[in-house]
Amino acid sequence: MSEVKISAEPRTEFGKGGARRTRRAGKVPAVLYGHGEKPKHIALPSREFAAAIRKGGANQLFAIDITDGTQVLALPKAIQRDPIRDTFEHVDLILVRRGEKVTVDVPVQLTGEAARDTLIVHDHDTLSVTADATKVPDHLEASIEGLEAGTLVTAGDVALPSGVELAVDSELTVASITAAPTAEQLEATLPEVETATDEAEAEAGETTEGSEGADTAEGAETTEARTEA
């Protein structure tokens, strides 16, 4: 994965208020740390950072040029997003050096098609691997082409680029191939679903009738009270 050059500026405001002002200015609050260095608070341009992550993924390598003259290489360690607006709230970046080995989680993509009448369960969609900080793959691939029901795809079956090593047990299940349910099996489950639905509707009906009865009784009591008055 090639590095992306991005500019940054030091942050002097901290806390929630400072972070909000940073985001309103079109920047992402971030912290640089690692290699025994004191954490450094910076602000990254939101648009450029978002574009880099969309293209290179969460393990995109950044060559950061800070306005105070500092130049560093860093990898995202933790990214906080706003789930509603899909914007970046905060980023933790870890300092790296060329030639340094790092351990990161990389997405696993399943390629090919399993045998007919099967279902694929993707048990682990990422794998922890160790690689050169400047050569972290953006994804890994595992083939499920023609696999029959009952087959397991393990971490050891995942194709690894040169220089990349597994940081997990090779027997870890990445995906499992199971038999798809037959039409008869699906039909057999329908009565159970219908029975459960009927029972839920019956309970709802009883609750409604009980409420209506209570309202009627309360109304009658109120009328009697007014008559006596």
Side-chain angles (χ1 to χ4, degrees), residues 45-131:
S46 298
R47 184 173 300 177
E48 289 86 341
F49 180 78
I53 294 297
R54 280 196 299 269
K55 183 178 180 180
N59 291 319
Q60 174 62 60
L61 178 65
F62 288 95
I64 305 175
D65 187 0
I66 307 174
T67 54
D68 64 2
T70 305
Q71 294 181 329
V72 297
L73 286 176
L75 284 168
K77 184 67 174 177
I79 300 176
Q80 297 177 20
R81 293 176 184 255
D82 184 309
I84 298 175
R85 292 177 292 181
D86 193 28
T87 55
F88 295 97
E89 295 286 287
H90 189 274
V91 183
D92 285 350
L93 297 156
I94 186 167
L95 295 168
V96 296
R97 299 188 181 98
R98 299 187 189 282
E100 178 183 4
K101 293 284 188 178
V102 294
T103 300
V104 294
D105 291 334
V106 178
V108 178
Q109 296 179 4
L110 303 180
T111 62
E113 294 184 4
R116 293 185 60 183
D117 301 324
T118 59
L119 294 176
I120 297 91
V121 180
H122 206 163
D123 299 274
H124 288 88
D125 56 7
T126 64
L127 276 183
S128 183
V129 299
T130 300

